[in-house]
Amino acid sequence: MNQISSIRTFTTIGSTNDYAAEWAAQGAPHLSLVIADEQTAGRGRGDRRWFTPPGAALAFSLILKPHTAQTITRYAGLGALAVCHSLQDLGLPARIKWPNDVLINRRKTCGILAEASWLGDHIQSIILGIGVNVTPQSVPPPDWPGHHEHPFPPTCVQTELGRPLDRHDLLQTILNHLCAWLPRLEHPDFLRAWEENLALRGEWVHIYAGDASPLKAQIINLNPDGSLNVRLPSGRIQRLHDGEIHLRPVDSSTK
Ligand code: BTN
């Protein structure tokens, strides 16, 4: 069971996050949901595009109205954890690649785009956008204009599961997990669950931030604000905040 208050469903839309942001500004209640069968201008992090062909994926945005700005750094983790647990319920070895991807067998299956809107110092809403590749048609083909090389190449739930699956059942499960975790967002259990499901823990990765040369570091754990602790080759611990950060595995021979 979940507590979704209002739902708007579209056959085709530009981006569910854009629509949800407008709806939130017009007064949509907490836990309003925008779902689309197809997105023509789906957005990923940075200025990346997100592929959502008709009838193949889950693309939805949940409008959340937090009472406090203190927990906003946990919302991308909330979406990722809900998807991760839903895939694990199906028996899949899903893990969260910090900050906002869900992987199955080290392949990207889901992306999360959490966007906040502010009025001065006051948080107005969080738009939690979630895209899950469900059928093989939802995996972007190499000739898609938004295609980019990804160190964790895309896959879809059906391919990893080896059988068809009802997208709407998966949506219900994700919403149930989301609504179950939401009241516990500030609780240490949430941080523990997020951390336990992190991909690449203990592994050495290359960290790309903007145009700076990559930093080699080992993934350690999460801080209460959702930032990631990594260990540099010198032994020093560095804290990474969400932003334009990308992690890539380091070839073991170059550690
Ligand atoms: C990423 O991996 O960079 C994040 C992808 C987020 C995609 C979802 S699909 C539903 C919602 N609407 C959008 O335009 N983007 C998010």
Side-chain angles (χ1 to χ4, degrees):
M1 277 299 288
N2 59 62
Q3 309 105 42
I4 299 304
S5 51
S6 184
I7 304 181
R8 293 191 181 172
T9 306
F10 295 85
T11 309
T12 300
I13 203 170
S15 153
T16 56
N17 262 39
D18 291 345
Y19 185 91
E22 285 170 26
W23 189 16
Q26 289 160 11
H30 178 60
L31 287 173
S32 296
L33 181 67
V34 182
I35 314 171
D37 201 48
E38 176 190 24
Q39 292 186 118
T40 53
R43 295 188 291 107
R45 287 169 78 219
D47 50 12
R48 288 194 171 150
R49 296 166 65 178
W50 184 259
F51 185 62
T52 317
L58 278 179
F60 60 96
S61 301
L62 194 59
I63 299 171
L64 300 160
K65 304 257 170 123
H67 300 298
T68 159
Q70 268 172 352
T71 46
I72 59 162
T73 52
R74 292 191 174 199
Y75 281 88
L78 171 70
L81 188 60
V83 173
C84 186
H85 279 160
S86 304
L87 297 174
Q88 289 171 354
D89 288 349
L90 294 167
L92 292 166
R95 288 285 177 273
I96 300 166
K97 184 177 83 67
W98 188 91
N100 71 328
D101 293 342
V102 181
L103 310 179
I104 304 174
N105 295 320
R106 294 175 81 97
R107 299 176 79 97
K108 178 163 175 169
T109 315
C110 162
I112 314 277
L113 184 63
E115 298 179 302
S117 82
W118 298 84
L119 196 61
D121 288 346
H122 295 282
I123 182 94
Q124 298 297 293
S125 59
I126 302 264
I127 307 300
L128 185 56
I130 300 185
V132 185
N133 299 340
V134 180
T135 73
Q137 290 72 35
S138 62
V139 175
D143 60 352
W144 179 58
H147 180 85
H148 61 272
E149 284 303 316
H150 200 285
F152 303 94
T155 185
C156 69
V157 182
Q158 282 194 186
T159 298
E160 300 302 320
L161 198 57
R163 65 170 169 85
L165 137 123
D166 187 311
R167 279 184 302 152
H168 302 102
D169 288 349
L170 181 60
L171 174 65
Q172 282 308 320
T173 311
I174 295 171
L175 293 174
N176 290 347
H177 279 295
L178 253 160
C179 290
W181 276 113
L182 192 56
R184 291 185 284 160
L185 206 54
E186 291 173 58
H187 198 276
D189 281 355
F190 171 77
L191 192 73
R192 203 172 305 122
W194 186 5
E195 194 171 80
E196 274 170 11
N197 285 286
L198 278 186
L200 312 171
R201 255 181 110 185
E203 286 190 34
W204 287 84
V205 295
H206 276 138
I207 295 160
Y208 292 80
D211 293 335
S213 22
L215 195 70
K216 195 161 68 174
Q218 187 183 26
I219 295 192
I220 306 297
N221 58 9
L222 289 174
N223 296 298
D225 65 355
S227 59
L228 183 71
N229 284 328
V230 295
R231 182 180 289 117
L232 303 178
S234 66
R236 193 166 68 81
I237 301 293
Q238 182 160 328
R239 204 179 251 237
L240 301 179
H241 292 274
D242 187 5
E244 265 314 278
I245 286 184
H246 298 276
L247 307 179
R248 288 167 185 262
V250 172
D251 174 24
S252 50
S253 60
T254 61
K255 272 181 205 167

